[in-house]
Protein backbone atom coordinates (compact mmCIF):
# COMPACT_ATOMS: atom_id res chain seq x y z
CA UNK A 1 0.00 0.00 0.00
CA UNK A 2 1.23 3.44 -0.76
CA UNK A 3 1.24 6.35 1.59
CA UNK A 4 -1.78 8.05 -0.01
CA UNK A 5 -3.44 8.82 3.30
CA UNK A 6 -0.58 11.03 4.40
CA UNK A 7 -1.22 14.74 4.41
CA UNK A 8 -1.20 16.36 1.03
CA UNK A 9 1.00 19.47 1.00
CA UNK A 10 -1.62 21.73 -0.57
CA UNK A 11 -4.40 20.82 1.88
CA UNK A 12 -5.22 23.00 4.87
CA UNK A 13 -3.45 21.75 7.96
CA UNK A 14 -6.73 21.63 9.89
CA UNK A 15 -8.15 19.05 7.45
CA UNK A 16 -5.02 16.98 6.89
CA UNK A 17 -5.08 13.44 8.30
CA UNK A 18 -2.62 12.94 11.11
CA UNK A 19 -2.12 9.22 10.54
CA UNK A 20 -0.30 7.63 7.63
CA UNK A 21 -0.27 4.14 6.16
CA UNK A 22 2.42 2.95 8.57
CA UNK A 23 0.26 3.96 11.54
CA UNK A 24 -2.77 2.16 10.11
CA UNK A 25 -0.77 -0.95 9.26
CA UNK A 26 0.49 -1.04 12.83
CA UNK A 27 -3.06 -0.88 14.13
CA UNK A 28 -4.08 -3.77 11.87
CA UNK A 29 -1.21 -5.92 13.14
CA UNK A 30 -1.72 -5.02 16.79
CA UNK A 31 -5.40 -5.91 16.43
CA UNK A 32 -4.25 -9.54 16.70
CA UNK A 33 -3.76 -8.85 20.41
CA UNK A 34 -7.38 -7.84 20.94
CA UNK A 35 -8.24 -11.15 22.63
CA UNK A 36 -5.03 -11.22 24.68
CA UNK A 37 -6.61 -9.63 27.75
CA UNK A 38 -10.24 -10.68 27.29
CA UNK A 39 -12.19 -10.49 30.52
CA UNK A 40 -15.84 -10.32 31.51
CA UNK A 41 -15.64 -6.74 32.71
CA UNK A 42 -14.36 -4.99 29.59
CA UNK A 43 -14.13 -7.98 27.20
CA UNK A 44 -11.86 -6.80 24.34
CA UNK A 45 -11.66 -3.23 25.67
CA UNK A 46 -8.04 -3.38 26.78
CA UNK A 47 -6.97 -5.05 23.52
CA UNK A 48 -8.85 -2.37 21.57
CA UNK A 49 -6.96 0.37 23.40
CA UNK A 50 -3.65 -1.44 22.95
CA UNK A 51 -4.26 -1.61 19.19
CA UNK A 52 -4.86 2.13 18.77
CA UNK A 53 -2.64 3.48 21.56
CA UNK A 54 0.22 4.60 19.31
CA UNK A 55 -2.08 6.58 16.99
CA UNK A 56 -3.81 8.10 20.02
CA UNK A 57 -0.43 9.33 21.30
CA UNK A 58 0.18 10.89 17.91
CA UNK A 59 -3.28 12.47 17.75
CA UNK A 60 -3.06 13.95 21.27
CA UNK A 61 0.64 14.73 21.13
CA UNK A 62 1.45 17.42 23.73
CA UNK A 63 -1.90 17.13 25.54
CA UNK A 64 -1.55 14.50 28.26
CA UNK A 65 -4.96 15.20 29.81
CA UNK A 66 -6.76 14.68 26.51
CA UNK A 67 -4.73 11.51 25.89
CA UNK A 68 -5.72 10.09 29.29
CA UNK A 69 -9.38 10.91 28.60
CA UNK A 70 -9.15 9.18 25.21
CA UNK A 71 -7.54 6.12 26.81
CA UNK A 72 -10.35 5.91 29.36
CA UNK A 73 -12.92 6.16 26.55
CA UNK A 74 -11.34 3.43 24.48
CA UNK A 75 -10.79 0.93 27.25
CA UNK A 76 -14.57 0.66 27.68
CA UNK A 77 -16.28 -2.68 27.10
CA UNK A 78 -16.02 -3.82 23.51
CA UNK A 79 -16.65 -7.18 21.91
CA UNK A 80 -16.96 -8.30 18.31
CA UNK A 81 -15.54 -10.72 15.75
CA UNK A 82 -11.81 -10.01 15.64
CA UNK A 83 -11.16 -9.76 11.90
CA UNK A 84 -13.43 -6.76 11.12
CA UNK A 85 -12.57 -4.96 14.37
CA UNK A 86 -9.84 -2.81 12.69
CA UNK A 87 -12.61 -1.16 10.67
CA UNK A 88 -14.11 0.09 13.93
CA UNK A 89 -10.65 1.10 15.11
CA UNK A 90 -10.21 3.18 11.95
CA UNK A 91 -13.50 5.01 12.52
CA UNK A 92 -12.60 5.52 16.18
CA UNK A 93 -9.24 7.06 15.30
CA UNK A 94 -10.94 9.35 12.77
CA UNK A 95 -13.42 10.51 15.44
CA UNK A 96 -10.67 10.97 18.02
CA UNK A 97 -8.74 13.04 15.50
CA UNK A 98 -11.77 15.25 14.88
CA UNK A 99 -12.30 15.59 18.61
CA UNK A 100 -8.68 16.63 19.13
CA UNK A 101 -9.17 19.40 16.58
CA UNK A 102 -12.55 20.48 17.92
CA UNK A 103 -12.92 19.71 21.66
CA UNK A 104 -16.53 20.94 21.54
CA UNK A 105 -17.51 17.72 19.76
CA UNK A 106 -19.30 15.30 22.07
CA UNK A 107 -16.80 12.50 22.87
CA UNK A 108 -19.62 10.18 23.97
CA UNK A 109 -20.49 9.78 20.28
CA UNK A 110 -17.25 7.81 19.84
CA UNK A 111 -18.31 4.98 22.10
CA UNK A 112 -21.88 5.18 20.80
CA UNK A 113 -20.66 4.54 17.26
CA UNK A 114 -18.37 1.71 18.46
CA UNK A 115 -21.15 -0.07 20.31
CA UNK A 116 -23.61 0.33 17.44
CA UNK A 117 -21.17 -1.34 15.03
CA UNK A 118 -20.39 -4.33 17.24
CA UNK A 119 -23.55 -6.30 16.48
CA UNK A 120 -23.85 -5.80 12.70
CA UNK A 121 -20.14 -6.33 12.02
CA UNK A 122 -20.00 -9.37 14.29
CA UNK A 123 -22.88 -10.87 12.33
CA UNK A 124 -21.06 -10.33 9.04
CA UNK A 125 -17.70 -11.44 10.46
CA UNK A 126 -19.07 -14.62 12.02
CA UNK A 127 -20.85 -15.51 8.79
CA UNK A 128 -17.79 -15.13 6.61
CA UNK A 129 -14.97 -16.24 8.90
CA UNK A 130 -16.61 -18.94 11.00
CA UNK A 131 -19.33 -20.03 8.56
CA UNK A 132 -17.51 -19.85 5.21
CA UNK A 133 -13.73 -19.34 5.38
CA UNK A 134 -13.20 -21.79 8.23
CA UNK A 135 -15.24 -24.51 6.53
CA UNK A 136 -13.52 -23.98 3.19
CA UNK A 137 -10.05 -23.87 4.76
CA UNK A 138 -10.67 -27.03 6.78
CA UNK A 139 -12.14 -28.81 3.76
CA UNK A 140 -9.08 -28.00 1.66
CA UNK A 141 -6.66 -28.99 4.43
CA UNK A 142 -8.49 -32.25 5.16
CA UNK A 143 -8.32 -33.12 1.47
CA UNK A 144 -4.53 -32.82 1.53
CA UNK A 145 -4.23 -34.49 4.93
CA UNK A 146 -6.17 -37.60 3.90
CA UNK A 147 -3.64 -38.06 1.10
CA UNK A 148 -0.77 -37.82 3.58
CA UNK A 149 0.46 -34.50 2.22
CA UNK A 150 2.75 -32.57 4.62
CA UNK A 151 1.48 -29.23 3.30
CA UNK A 152 -1.99 -29.76 4.80
CA UNK A 153 -1.34 -27.58 7.89
CA UNK A 154 0.04 -24.80 5.69
CA UNK A 155 -3.00 -24.97 3.42
CA UNK A 156 -5.24 -24.48 6.46
CA UNK A 157 -3.08 -21.66 7.80
CA UNK A 158 -2.86 -19.76 4.53
CA UNK A 159 -6.41 -20.28 3.29
CA UNK A 160 -7.82 -18.96 6.57
CA UNK A 161 -5.08 -16.47 7.43
CA UNK A 162 -4.83 -14.57 4.15
CA UNK A 163 -8.48 -13.37 4.09
CA UNK A 164 -8.15 -12.57 7.78
CA UNK A 165 -5.17 -10.26 7.47
CA UNK A 166 -6.48 -8.74 4.23
CA UNK A 167 -9.73 -7.73 5.93
CA UNK A 168 -7.77 -6.19 8.81
CA UNK A 169 -5.47 -4.15 6.57
CA UNK A 170 -8.22 -2.94 4.25
CA UNK A 171 -10.73 -2.46 7.07
CA UNK A 172 -8.62 -0.10 9.18
CA UNK A 173 -7.71 1.95 6.14
CA UNK A 174 -11.32 2.11 4.96
CA UNK A 175 -12.62 2.94 8.43
CA UNK A 176 -10.13 5.79 8.89
CA UNK A 177 -10.42 7.36 5.45
CA UNK A 178 -14.13 6.87 4.73
CA UNK A 179 -15.14 7.26 8.34
CA UNK A 180 -13.27 10.53 8.52
CA UNK A 181 -15.02 11.87 5.41
CA UNK A 182 -18.41 10.69 6.68
CA UNK A 183 -17.90 12.25 10.10
CA UNK A 184 -16.84 15.57 8.61
CA UNK A 185 -19.96 15.52 6.43
CA UNK A 186 -22.21 14.76 9.41
CA UNK A 187 -20.67 17.53 11.47
CA UNK A 188 -21.06 20.10 8.71
CA UNK A 189 -24.67 19.05 8.03
CA UNK A 190 -25.57 19.06 11.74
CA UNK A 191 -26.69 15.42 11.66
CA UNK A 192 -24.06 14.17 14.10
CA UNK A 193 -26.40 14.32 17.10
CA UNK A 194 -29.11 12.39 15.24
CA UNK A 195 -26.63 9.71 14.17
CA UNK A 196 -25.29 9.48 17.73
CA UNK A 197 -28.79 8.97 19.11
CA UNK A 198 -29.56 6.31 16.49
CA UNK A 199 -26.24 4.62 17.21
CA UNK A 200 -27.03 4.63 20.92
CA UNK A 201 -30.36 2.92 20.25
CA UNK A 202 -28.73 0.28 18.04
CA UNK A 203 -26.01 -0.20 20.66
CA UNK A 204 -28.60 -0.70 23.40
CA UNK A 205 -30.35 -3.30 21.21
CA UNK A 206 -27.04 -5.11 20.66
CA UNK A 207 -26.37 -5.17 24.41
CA UNK A 208 -29.89 -6.47 24.98
CA UNK A 209 -29.25 -9.31 22.53
CA UNK A 210 -26.00 -10.15 24.33
CA UNK A 211 -27.83 -10.29 27.67
CA UNK A 212 -30.45 -12.63 26.25
CA UNK A 213 -27.82 -14.88 24.66
CA UNK A 214 -25.15 -14.99 27.38
CA UNK A 215 -26.90 -14.59 30.74
CA UNK A 216 -28.54 -17.96 31.37
CA UNK A 217 -30.77 -17.76 34.43
CA UNK A 218 -34.21 -19.26 34.95
CA UNK A 219 -36.35 -20.36 37.87
CA UNK A 220 -37.23 -24.05 38.22
CA UNK A 221 -39.70 -23.32 41.05
CA UNK A 222 -43.05 -25.10 40.66
CA UNK A 223 -45.90 -24.72 43.16
CA UNK A 224 -48.86 -27.06 43.42
CA UNK A 225 -52.26 -25.63 44.24
CA UNK A 226 -54.83 -28.40 44.32
CA UNK A 227 -54.53 -30.18 41.01
CA UNK A 228 -52.84 -27.24 39.31
CA UNK A 229 -49.08 -26.81 39.00
CA UNK A 230 -47.74 -23.28 38.76
CA UNK A 231 -44.33 -22.87 37.12
CA UNK A 232 -42.82 -19.56 38.18
CA UNK A 233 -40.72 -19.29 35.00
CA UNK A 234 -43.86 -19.46 32.83
CA UNK A 235 -45.34 -16.47 34.62
CA UNK A 236 -42.05 -14.58 34.41
CA UNK A 237 -41.93 -15.22 30.67
CA UNK A 238 -45.44 -13.80 30.35
CA UNK A 239 -44.29 -10.59 32.04
CA UNK A 240 -41.18 -10.34 29.84
CA UNK A 241 -39.01 -12.99 28.17
CA UNK A 242 -35.53 -13.19 29.71
CA UNK A 243 -36.70 -11.15 32.69
CA UNK A 244 -34.31 -12.72 35.19
CA UNK A 245 -31.17 -12.15 33.03
CA UNK A 246 -32.27 -8.52 32.59
CA UNK A 247 -32.81 -8.04 36.33
CA UNK A 248 -29.40 -9.54 37.12
CA UNK A 249 -27.68 -7.37 34.52
CA UNK A 250 -29.35 -4.21 35.79
CA UNK A 251 -28.37 -5.19 39.32
CA UNK A 252 -24.74 -5.51 38.29
CA UNK A 253 -24.96 -2.18 36.45
CA UNK A 254 -26.32 -0.59 39.63
CA UNK A 255 -23.36 -1.99 41.58
CA UNK A 256 -20.91 -0.58 39.03
CA UNK A 257 -22.54 2.84 39.22
CA UNK A 258 -22.15 2.69 43.01
CA UNK A 259 -18.40 2.17 42.41
CA UNK A 260 -18.41 -1.29 43.96
CA UNK A 261 -15.20 -3.06 42.96
CA UNK A 262 -15.57 -5.67 40.25
CA UNK A 263 -13.93 -8.48 42.30
CA UNK A 264 -16.54 -7.92 45.01
CA UNK A 265 -19.32 -8.02 42.41
CA UNK A 266 -17.97 -11.29 41.02
CA UNK A 267 -17.68 -12.71 44.54
CA UNK A 268 -21.26 -11.64 45.24
CA UNK A 269 -22.48 -13.32 42.04
CA UNK A 270 -20.72 -16.56 43.02
CA UNK A 271 -22.04 -16.60 46.59
CA UNK A 272 -25.61 -15.53 45.79
CA UNK A 273 -25.74 -17.81 42.75
CA UNK A 274 -24.51 -20.75 44.81
CA UNK A 275 -27.06 -20.15 47.58
CA UNK A 276 -29.99 -19.65 45.18
CA UNK A 277 -28.84 -22.63 43.13
CA UNK A 278 -28.62 -25.16 45.98
CA UNK A 279 -31.99 -24.00 47.33
CA UNK A 280 -33.53 -24.57 43.90
CA UNK A 281 -34.68 -20.98 43.38
CA UNK A 282 -32.67 -20.42 40.21
CA UNK A 283 -31.06 -22.66 37.60
CA UNK A 284 -28.99 -22.27 34.46
Amino acid sequence: MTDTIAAAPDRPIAESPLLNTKDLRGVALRSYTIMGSFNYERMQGLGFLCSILKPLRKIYSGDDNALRAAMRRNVAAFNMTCAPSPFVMGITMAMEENHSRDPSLDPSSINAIKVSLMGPLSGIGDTFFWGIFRVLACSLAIGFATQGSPIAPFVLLLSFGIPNIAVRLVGVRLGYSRGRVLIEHLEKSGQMQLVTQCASIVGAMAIGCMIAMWVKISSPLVFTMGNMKIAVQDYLDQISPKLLPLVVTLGILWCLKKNIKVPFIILGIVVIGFLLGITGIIAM
Side-chain angles (χ1 to χ4, degrees):
M1 288 187 290
T2 58
D3 218 346
T4 55
I5 292 180
D10 57 341
R11 295 184 61 181
I13 294 176
E15 296 181 357
S16 301
L18 294 176
L19 306 180
N20 54 36
T21 299
K22 183 181 178 182
D23 297 321
L24 301 182
R25 190 185 301 124
V27 171
L29 295 178
R30 282 192 297 277
S31 69
Y32 278 98
T33 66
I34 195 170
M35 290 295 291
S37 58
F38 185 93
N39 60 78
Y40 285 99
E41 181 188 2
R42 300 182 185 274
M43 299 183 175
Q44 300 170 339
L46 190 56
F48 189 95
L49 173 61
C50 176
S51 301
I52 66 170
L53 185 55
K54 282 191 175 181
L56 283 182
R57 285 177 173 153
K58 189 172 183 179
I59 291 170
Y60 292 105
S61 176
D63 190 346
D64 292 342
N65 291 332
L67 175 61
R68 279 193 288 270
M71 291 173 66
R72 281 194 293 271
R73 275 195 299 275
N74 288 290
V75 80
F78 181 80
N79 187 43
M80 67 175 293
T81 306
C82 297
S85 63
F87 177 76
V88 182
M89 295 173 187
I91 293 178
T92 300
M93 291 185 294
M95 297 185 75
E96 291 286 359
E97 188 177 314
N98 280 18
H99 178 61
S100 72
R101 288 173 169 153
D102 185 0
S104 65
L105 296 177
D106 184 8
S108 65
S109 61
I110 299 173
N111 270 335
I113 296 293
K114 284 169 56 181
V115 173
S116 69
L117 290 174
M118 287 193 311
L121 288 182
S122 289
I124 296 171
D126 286 345
T127 300
F128 278 91
F129 283 94
W130 300 120
I132 298 176
F133 292 144
R134 181 180 62 169
V135 175
L136 290 176
C138 290
S139 300
L140 285 172
I142 290 172
F144 283 95
T146 54
Q147 297 175 9
S149 173
I151 67 170
F154 301 101
V155 171
L156 174 61
L157 184 64
L158 294 176
S159 55
F160 187 76
I162 289 176
N164 195 307
I165 193 169
V167 167
R168 290 173 191 262
L169 290 170
V170 175
V172 68
R173 186 182 177 86
L174 190 64
Y176 180 69
S177 58
R178 300 299 181 189
R180 189 171 177 275
V181 173
L182 176 62
I183 292 164
E184 288 177 353
H185 170 71
L186 292 175
E187 287 170 355
K188 290 177 181 176
S189 63
Q191 295 178 325
M192 193 64 192
Q193 185 176 2
L194 175 63
V195 172
T196 301
Q197 290 177 344
C198 293
S200 300
I201 294 172
V202 175
M205 291 174 62
I207 292 172
C209 293
M210 292 168 66
I211 293 171
M213 291 174 61
W214 288 14
V215 184
K216 305 288 186 184
I217 300 176
S218 61
S219 176
L221 288 177
V222 178
F223 297 99
T224 302
M225 297 181 65
N227 295 326
M228 184 174 64
K229 290 186 176 181
I230 300 175
V232 173
Q233 187 60 49
D234 292 342
Y235 283 91
L236 293 175
D237 289 340
Q238 290 178 20
I239 297 172
S240 174
K242 304 293 183 181
L243 180 61
L244 288 180
L246 177 63
V247 170
V248 172
T249 304
L250 293 178
I252 295 172
L253 178 62
W254 180 83
C255 293
L256 292 172
K257 286 188 174 181
K258 292 294 182 182
N259 293 324
I260 299 176
K261 299 294 183 183
V262 172
F264 291 112
I265 296 176
I266 295 174
L267 181 63
I269 293 172
V270 172
V271 173
I272 296 174
F274 178 76
L275 293 176
L276 296 180
I278 61 173
T279 54
I281 297 176
I282 64 169
M284 296 294 289

